[in-house]
Amino acid sequence: QKLLLRNADVPVIMHTYFSQKVLLSEHSETREKTYGLTKMLIRKNITSLAQTFSLDDLDDELRQESSDNQVACAPQIHNNCDSKQHPLARSAVNDSLLEMVESQGAVGWREAQVQVVIQRVYCLPAREGYRSHVQGNKPLSAIPIINSDPPNVRLCLLVQDAYGMFSEVQLQSLTFADDIEQYCRRWEGKFCCLAGMKILQRTTRGRALGLFSLIDSLWPPVVPVKVAGQSQASETMTTNLPPPSFCYILTAQSGEIHVEVDEEEQISNLYQPPAVHGLKEILQINGCNERCSFWAQVLYLRLQTKHSVPINQREISLFVTDSTLQNVVHMIPKVVAVSVAASCVLSTEITEALSVASRLVFFKDVLWGNGRIICVERTVLLLQKPLLYSTAGADLSELTGPVRLDELDSTTQANSICAVKGIVVGVNESTAFSWPTCDRCGNGKLELCPQDRGLLYCNQCSEVVISPVLKMQLEVFLSCPSRSQSTVKVKVWHEISFGLFVLINMLLSLQSYEVQSVLGKEVGLLNCYVHSVTSHPNCVALEEIVLL
């Protein structure tokens, strides 16, 4: 705040945790007297800033008696402390986060408590800590889906007080994020008392877009909230308030964690569970950076292949569908891509489940905007079906028949999956190659056995490979009626099981494939990943894939 002092030419910049302009008038003075008995008073001595900075020409009007300067603050939930004690005494429980910050300061509060409602439970990468909020949209390191050694993560709560104010509480570090499902189920929607907290940061909308996109999805409150400085009679409580513009990041004092969750208590009326929508409805939302939740079947996953990006910071693409997409005839894709950013923490349960089979996954608080669905920080992926979340009339019936992909056509875009059929009109011989793999673990880097040079040896299994699997890669050009003006290039894979001696003789004799054996053959329907779609030249590059 820039302050221009009376009778002084030197401006003062005041840095505070919170400031609010109060304009006194006859009406407000009368209202102070009317509601004065219902408020709790904290005595504060007002010191002139001109006096503090030793400026001349002090105005005598600023030297007021402290008895005239009692500042009213929000009332407490339980006022059972002794009248001789400070209002924020040991046994007091407050319901205002802002009042706790104003009265206790940045170093934190040990004895005082504040009661809040837990709106969301999620994990953030622990090694980034609260600095992740300063970085805005910069990607954070997190667990990649192929990494077997995930980093520590920090359990976090997004809480809201009776005045509608939010805070993010960063709790203890977890070795894995596997407990997030039970924390969500047991804690979300419950009242909780915070004590022993300290302020890590006061962040704003411009510095923490991800955090505020989640807060915006919970605004306005579903029930009227209190208004600071006003009587708490029901007629003055309101939901017609502007969304929060700042948020305090809190953490426990070192070595102390005081978060008491009343798990037996009923769900708070202030709690807003995620509204679950069908994917068809989400694709029709016009907003930008909207948080949404859905239940979908994961068909295929793919790790970003940009070698310039470290492997633990690469995005993952999950290709998902649901009954609302599978039952659509035209205009809407049957499968959509969900990008999992490096800042999204995935539990080992999720990564292991998706590495072996197609699973039904609940995507909570993903970000939708500019035609993309993105899992970012504070997005949670769960395998268990939530009980409390509202479905908003969406069709969430499970898939019963086989999954259908969109066929390749003029609307197909890069980084999607589709089904392809056509006739082979050419083969790229220069890229054709084959290699033996282990029939037990799939290891493609077999070596000659040290004891017997006529045998193949697998270092991962530490055993001789008797019946290796020959993998072959071939690039073919297809003539596709659905894209008659385009060159369609498909990278196809084949696996053939051979006896060892047959395989070795074949590898020694083959330099390339017999092109004539595949030309003119009809192919389809192949499930493919779309690498690129270009107009000059008019070409579509595909790769054959196997769905989960």
Side-chain angles (χ1 to χ4, degrees), residues 22 47 71 99 109 113 118 146 201 249 264 275 323 370 381 387 429 475 498 544-545 547:
V22 179
T47 304
V71 180
E99 181 185 340
W109 55 87
Q113 302 180 58
I118 301 175
I146 62 171
Q201 183 188 6
I249 312 300
E264 304 299 325
S323 59
N370 298 323
L381 272 61
L387 300 177
E429 296 184 64
E475 278 189 353
F498 285 104
E544 182 186 11
I545 60 173
L547 300 182

PDB file of all heavy atoms in Angstrom, residues 22 47 71 99 109 113 118 146 201 249 264 275 323 370 381 387 429 475 498 544-545 547:
ATOM      1  N   VAL A  22     -11.189   1.442   6.159  1.00  0.00           N
ATOM      2  CA  VAL A  22     -12.407   1.624   6.950  1.00  0.00           C
ATOM      3  C   VAL A  22     -12.739   3.108   6.960  1.00  0.00           C
ATOM      4  O   VAL A  22     -11.941   3.931   7.427  1.00  0.00           O
ATOM      5  CB  VAL A  22     -12.226   1.105   8.394  1.00  0.00           C
ATOM      6  CG1 VAL A  22     -13.499   1.333   9.201  1.00  0.00           C
ATOM      7  CG2 VAL A  22     -11.862  -0.375   8.359  1.00  0.00           C
ATOM      8  N   THR A  47      -0.213   4.086  16.307  1.00  0.00           N
ATOM      9  CA  THR A  47       0.950   4.967  16.306  1.00  0.00           C
ATOM     10  C   THR A  47       1.044   5.642  14.952  1.00  0.00           C
ATOM     11  O   THR A  47       0.932   4.980  13.912  1.00  0.00           O
ATOM     12  CB  THR A  47       2.239   4.182  16.583  1.00  0.00           C
ATOM     13  OG1 THR A  47       2.087   3.493  17.828  1.00  0.00           O
ATOM     14  CG2 THR A  47       3.439   5.111  16.652  1.00  0.00           C
ATOM     15  N   VAL A  71     -10.298  -2.130  17.729  1.00  0.00           N
ATOM     16  CA  VAL A  71     -10.623  -2.623  16.399  1.00  0.00           C
ATOM     17  C   VAL A  71     -11.416  -3.911  16.528  1.00  0.00           C
ATOM     18  O   VAL A  71     -10.944  -4.879  17.125  1.00  0.00           O
ATOM     19  CB  VAL A  71      -9.332  -2.875  15.576  1.00  0.00           C
ATOM     20  CG1 VAL A  71      -9.682  -3.389  14.190  1.00  0.00           C
ATOM     21  CG2 VAL A  71      -8.526  -1.590  15.497  1.00  0.00           C
ATOM     22  N   GLU A  99      -8.287 -13.592  10.559  1.00  0.00           N
ATOM     23  CA  GLU A  99      -8.057 -13.044  11.892  1.00  0.00           C
ATOM     24  C   GLU A  99      -6.861 -13.711  12.559  1.00  0.00           C
ATOM     25  O   GLU A  99      -6.076 -13.051  13.247  1.00  0.00           O
ATOM     26  CB  GLU A  99      -9.298 -13.235  12.764  1.00  0.00           C
ATOM     27  CG  GLU A  99      -9.100 -12.651  14.167  1.00  0.00           C
ATOM     28  CD  GLU A  99     -10.276 -12.954  15.076  1.00  0.00           C
ATOM     29  OE1 GLU A  99     -11.357 -13.255  14.554  1.00  0.00           O
ATOM     30  OE2 GLU A  99     -10.090 -12.901  16.297  1.00  0.00           O
ATOM     31  N   TRP A 109       1.059 -19.691  14.900  1.00  0.00           N
ATOM     32  CA  TRP A 109       0.369 -19.708  16.188  1.00  0.00           C
ATOM     33  C   TRP A 109       0.480 -21.095  16.788  1.00  0.00           C
ATOM     34  O   TRP A 109       0.328 -22.105  16.131  1.00  0.00           O
ATOM     35  CB  TRP A 109      -1.101 -19.287  16.016  1.00  0.00           C
ATOM     36  CG  TRP A 109      -1.892 -20.077  15.020  1.00  0.00           C
ATOM     37  CD1 TRP A 109      -2.573 -21.232  15.242  1.00  0.00           C
ATOM     38  CD2 TRP A 109      -2.085 -19.782  13.632  1.00  0.00           C
ATOM     39  NE1 TRP A 109      -3.191 -21.671  14.114  1.00  0.00           N
ATOM     40  CE2 TRP A 109      -2.916 -20.799  13.098  1.00  0.00           C
ATOM     41  CE3 TRP A 109      -1.657 -18.749  12.791  1.00  0.00           C
ATOM     42  CZ2 TRP A 109      -3.308 -20.817  11.773  1.00  0.00           C
ATOM     43  CZ3 TRP A 109      -2.060 -18.792  11.467  1.00  0.00           C
ATOM     44  CH2 TRP A 109      -2.869 -19.803  10.975  1.00  0.00           C
ATOM     45  N   GLN A 113      -6.307 -21.882  17.837  1.00  0.00           N
ATOM     46  CA  GLN A 113      -6.775 -22.823  16.834  1.00  0.00           C
ATOM     47  C   GLN A 113      -7.807 -22.147  15.936  1.00  0.00           C
ATOM     48  O   GLN A 113      -8.472 -21.209  16.351  1.00  0.00           O
ATOM     49  CB  GLN A 113      -7.424 -24.045  17.490  1.00  0.00           C
ATOM     50  CG  GLN A 113      -6.516 -24.809  18.442  1.00  0.00           C
ATOM     51  CD  GLN A 113      -7.246 -25.988  19.045  1.00  0.00           C
ATOM     52  OE1 GLN A 113      -7.740 -26.857  18.340  1.00  0.00           O
ATOM     53  NE2 GLN A 113      -7.341 -26.017  20.362  1.00  0.00           N
ATOM     54  N   ILE A 118     -12.435 -28.995   5.182  1.00  0.00           N
ATOM     55  CA  ILE A 118     -11.507 -29.532   4.183  1.00  0.00           C
ATOM     56  C   ILE A 118     -12.266 -29.712   2.872  1.00  0.00           C
ATOM     57  O   ILE A 118     -13.149 -30.563   2.758  1.00  0.00           O
ATOM     58  CB  ILE A 118     -10.904 -30.866   4.642  1.00  0.00           C
ATOM     59  CG1 ILE A 118     -10.151 -30.675   5.966  1.00  0.00           C
ATOM     60  CG2 ILE A 118      -9.970 -31.436   3.574  1.00  0.00           C
ATOM     61  CD1 ILE A 118      -9.612 -31.972   6.551  1.00  0.00           C
ATOM     62  N   ILE A 146       6.729 -44.490 -15.817  1.00  0.00           N
ATOM     63  CA  ILE A 146       7.623 -45.634 -15.946  1.00  0.00           C
ATOM     64  C   ILE A 146       8.692 -45.642 -14.859  1.00  0.00           C
ATOM     65  O   ILE A 146       9.548 -46.500 -14.843  1.00  0.00           O
ATOM     66  CB  ILE A 146       8.298 -45.635 -17.329  1.00  0.00           C
ATOM     67  CG1 ILE A 146       9.162 -44.379 -17.507  1.00  0.00           C
ATOM     68  CG2 ILE A 146       7.294 -45.720 -18.447  1.00  0.00           C
ATOM     69  CD1 ILE A 146      10.024 -44.413 -18.735  1.00  0.00           C
ATOM     70  N   GLN A 201       3.748 -18.532   2.706  1.00  0.00           N
ATOM     71  CA  GLN A 201       3.656 -17.557   1.628  1.00  0.00           C
ATOM     72  C   GLN A 201       2.234 -17.029   1.536  1.00  0.00           C
ATOM     73  O   GLN A 201       1.270 -17.744   1.822  1.00  0.00           O
ATOM     74  CB  GLN A 201       4.038 -18.215   0.300  1.00  0.00           C
ATOM     75  CG  GLN A 201       4.034 -17.265  -0.886  1.00  0.00           C
ATOM     76  CD  GLN A 201       4.226 -17.985  -2.193  1.00  0.00           C
ATOM     77  OE1 GLN A 201       4.260 -19.206  -2.221  1.00  0.00           O
ATOM     78  NE2 GLN A 201       4.342 -17.256  -3.279  1.00  0.00           N
ATOM     79  N   ILE A 249      -0.488 -19.854   2.147  1.00  0.00           N
ATOM     80  CA  ILE A 249       0.060 -21.204   2.158  1.00  0.00           C
ATOM     81  C   ILE A 249       0.596 -21.452   3.563  1.00  0.00           C
ATOM     82  O   ILE A 249       1.495 -20.747   4.022  1.00  0.00           O
ATOM     83  CB  ILE A 249       1.186 -21.380   1.116  1.00  0.00           C
ATOM     84  CG1 ILE A 249       0.742 -20.821  -0.234  1.00  0.00           C
ATOM     85  CG2 ILE A 249       1.567 -22.842   1.010  1.00  0.00           C
ATOM     86  CD1 ILE A 249      -0.475 -21.480  -0.817  1.00  0.00           C
ATOM     87  N   GLU A 264     -15.800 -38.407  12.652  1.00  0.00           N
ATOM     88  CA  GLU A 264     -17.141 -38.857  13.010  1.00  0.00           C
ATOM     89  C   GLU A 264     -18.193 -37.796  12.704  1.00  0.00           C
ATOM     90  O   GLU A 264     -19.387 -38.086  12.671  1.00  0.00           O
ATOM     91  CB  GLU A 264     -17.185 -39.210  14.504  1.00  0.00           C
ATOM     92  CG  GLU A 264     -16.153 -40.253  14.920  1.00  0.00           C
ATOM     93  CD  GLU A 264     -16.367 -41.575  14.190  1.00  0.00           C
ATOM     94  OE1 GLU A 264     -17.537 -41.920  13.936  1.00  0.00           O
ATOM     95  OE2 GLU A 264     -15.370 -42.238  13.859  1.00  0.00           O
ATOM     96  N   ALA A 275     -18.354 -32.047  -9.115  1.00  0.00           N
ATOM     97  CA  ALA A 275     -19.492 -32.406  -9.957  1.00  0.00           C
ATOM     98  C   ALA A 275     -18.976 -33.254 -11.112  1.00  0.00           C
ATOM     99  O   ALA A 275     -18.155 -32.799 -11.904  1.00  0.00           O
ATOM    100  CB  ALA A 275     -20.198 -31.161 -10.466  1.00  0.00           C
ATOM    101  N   SER A 323     -19.086 -43.952 -21.924  1.00  0.00           N
ATOM    102  CA  SER A 323     -20.291 -44.303 -22.663  1.00  0.00           C
ATOM    103  C   SER A 323     -20.867 -43.115 -23.414  1.00  0.00           C
ATOM    104  O   SER A 323     -21.491 -43.287 -24.475  1.00  0.00           O
ATOM    105  CB  SER A 323     -21.337 -44.876 -21.703  1.00  0.00           C
ATOM    106  OG  SER A 323     -21.648 -43.929 -20.684  1.00  0.00           O
ATOM    107  N   ASN A 370      -8.985 -24.630 -24.076  1.00  0.00           N
ATOM    108  CA  ASN A 370      -8.358 -24.605 -25.402  1.00  0.00           C
ATOM    109  C   ASN A 370      -8.352 -25.983 -26.059  1.00  0.00           C
ATOM    110  O   ASN A 370      -7.396 -26.371 -26.743  1.00  0.00           O
ATOM    111  CB  ASN A 370      -6.917 -24.068 -25.303  1.00  0.00           C
ATOM    112  CG  ASN A 370      -6.868 -22.637 -24.798  1.00  0.00           C
ATOM    113  OD1 ASN A 370      -7.732 -21.832 -25.136  1.00  0.00           O
ATOM    114  ND2 ASN A 370      -5.876 -22.328 -23.986  1.00  0.00           N
ATOM    115  N   LEU A 381      -6.012 -38.700  -9.382  1.00  0.00           N
ATOM    116  CA  LEU A 381      -6.535 -39.848 -10.119  1.00  0.00           C
ATOM    117  C   LEU A 381      -6.776 -40.990  -9.141  1.00  0.00           C
ATOM    118  O   LEU A 381      -5.880 -41.346  -8.350  1.00  0.00           O
ATOM    119  CB  LEU A 381      -5.549 -40.295 -11.203  1.00  0.00           C
ATOM    120  CG  LEU A 381      -5.657 -39.612 -12.577  1.00  0.00           C
ATOM    121  CD1 LEU A 381      -5.419 -38.108 -12.465  1.00  0.00           C
ATOM    122  CD2 LEU A 381      -4.695 -40.240 -13.572  1.00  0.00           C
ATOM    123  N   LEU A 387     -18.219 -41.861  -3.471  1.00  0.00           N
ATOM    124  CA  LEU A 387     -19.613 -42.029  -3.080  1.00  0.00           C
ATOM    125  C   LEU A 387     -20.369 -40.712  -3.008  1.00  0.00           C
ATOM    126  O   LEU A 387     -21.555 -40.644  -3.282  1.00  0.00           O
ATOM    127  CB  LEU A 387     -19.689 -42.745  -1.725  1.00  0.00           C
ATOM    128  CG  LEU A 387     -19.060 -44.143  -1.674  1.00  0.00           C
ATOM    129  CD1 LEU A 387     -19.138 -44.692  -0.259  1.00  0.00           C
ATOM    130  CD2 LEU A 387     -19.752 -45.083  -2.646  1.00  0.00           C
ATOM    131  N   GLU A 429      12.041 -49.859 -47.456  1.00  0.00           N
ATOM    132  CA  GLU A 429      13.018 -50.916 -47.135  1.00  0.00           C
ATOM    133  C   GLU A 429      14.165 -50.416 -46.269  1.00  0.00           C
ATOM    134  O   GLU A 429      14.762 -51.187 -45.523  1.00  0.00           O
ATOM    135  CB  GLU A 429      13.557 -51.508 -48.432  1.00  0.00           C
ATOM    136  CG  GLU A 429      12.513 -52.215 -49.275  1.00  0.00           C
ATOM    137  CD  GLU A 429      13.133 -52.872 -50.497  1.00  0.00           C
ATOM    138  OE1 GLU A 429      13.943 -53.802 -50.299  1.00  0.00           O
ATOM    139  OE2 GLU A 429      12.822 -52.452 -51.617  1.00  0.00           O
ATOM    140  N   GLU A 475       7.935 -50.095 -42.194  1.00  0.00           N
ATOM    141  CA  GLU A 475       7.135 -48.939 -42.579  1.00  0.00           C
ATOM    142  C   GLU A 475       6.482 -49.211 -43.917  1.00  0.00           C
ATOM    143  O   GLU A 475       7.164 -49.495 -44.903  1.00  0.00           O
ATOM    144  CB  GLU A 475       7.999 -47.674 -42.657  1.00  0.00           C
ATOM    145  CG  GLU A 475       8.237 -47.017 -41.322  1.00  0.00           C
ATOM    146  CD  GLU A 475       8.910 -45.661 -41.470  1.00  0.00           C
ATOM    147  OE1 GLU A 475       9.300 -45.302 -42.600  1.00  0.00           O
ATOM    148  OE2 GLU A 475       9.045 -44.968 -40.450  1.00  0.00           O
ATOM    149  N   PHE A 498      10.408 -68.315 -32.818  1.00  0.00           N
ATOM    150  CA  PHE A 498      11.243 -69.257 -33.552  1.00  0.00           C
ATOM    151  C   PHE A 498      12.033 -70.092 -32.559  1.00  0.00           C
ATOM    152  O   PHE A 498      12.308 -69.662 -31.427  1.00  0.00           O
ATOM    153  CB  PHE A 498      12.253 -68.519 -34.456  1.00  0.00           C
ATOM    154  CG  PHE A 498      11.641 -67.927 -35.693  1.00  0.00           C
ATOM    155  CD1 PHE A 498      11.397 -66.572 -35.784  1.00  0.00           C
ATOM    156  CD2 PHE A 498      11.322 -68.746 -36.760  1.00  0.00           C
ATOM    157  CE1 PHE A 498      10.843 -66.033 -36.922  1.00  0.00           C
ATOM    158  CE2 PHE A 498      10.766 -68.201 -37.906  1.00  0.00           C
ATOM    159  CZ  PHE A 498      10.523 -66.839 -37.987  1.00  0.00           C
ATOM    160  N   GLU A 544       1.473 -48.423 -35.443  1.00  0.00           N
ATOM    161  CA  GLU A 544       0.576 -49.455 -34.924  1.00  0.00           C
ATOM    162  C   GLU A 544       0.774 -49.593 -33.410  1.00  0.00           C
ATOM    163  O   GLU A 544       1.912 -49.623 -32.915  1.00  0.00           O
ATOM    164  CB  GLU A 544       0.849 -50.790 -35.619  1.00  0.00           C
ATOM    165  CG  GLU A 544      -0.072 -51.910 -35.165  1.00  0.00           C
ATOM    166  CD  GLU A 544       0.313 -53.258 -35.748  1.00  0.00           C
ATOM    167  OE1 GLU A 544       1.406 -53.359 -36.332  1.00  0.00           O
ATOM    168  OE2 GLU A 544      -0.488 -54.203 -35.612  1.00  0.00           O
ATOM    169  N   ILE A 545      -0.344 -49.684 -32.669  1.00  0.00           N
ATOM    170  CA  ILE A 545      -0.277 -49.795 -31.217  1.00  0.00           C
ATOM    171  C   ILE A 545      -1.155 -50.955 -30.758  1.00  0.00           C
ATOM    172  O   ILE A 545      -1.994 -51.472 -31.504  1.00  0.00           O
ATOM    173  CB  ILE A 545      -0.744 -48.504 -30.522  1.00  0.00           C
ATOM    174  CG1 ILE A 545      -2.199 -48.194 -30.895  1.00  0.00           C
ATOM    175  CG2 ILE A 545       0.173 -47.335 -30.862  1.00  0.00           C
ATOM    176  CD1 ILE A 545      -2.792 -47.027 -30.117  1.00  0.00           C
ATOM    177  N   LEU A 547      -3.811 -51.699 -27.726  1.00  0.00           N
ATOM    178  CA  LEU A 547      -4.575 -51.092 -26.634  1.00  0.00           C
ATOM    179  C   LEU A 547      -4.425 -51.916 -25.363  1.00  0.00           C
ATOM    180  O   LEU A 547      -4.154 -53.123 -25.409  1.00  0.00           O
ATOM    181  CB  LEU A 547      -6.059 -50.986 -27.020  1.00  0.00           C
ATOM    182  CG  LEU A 547      -6.398 -50.145 -28.260  1.00  0.00           C
ATOM    183  CD1 LEU A 547      -7.900 -50.113 -28.479  1.00  0.00           C
ATOM    184  CD2 LEU A 547      -5.841 -48.734 -28.132  1.00  0.00           C
TER     185      LEU A 547
END
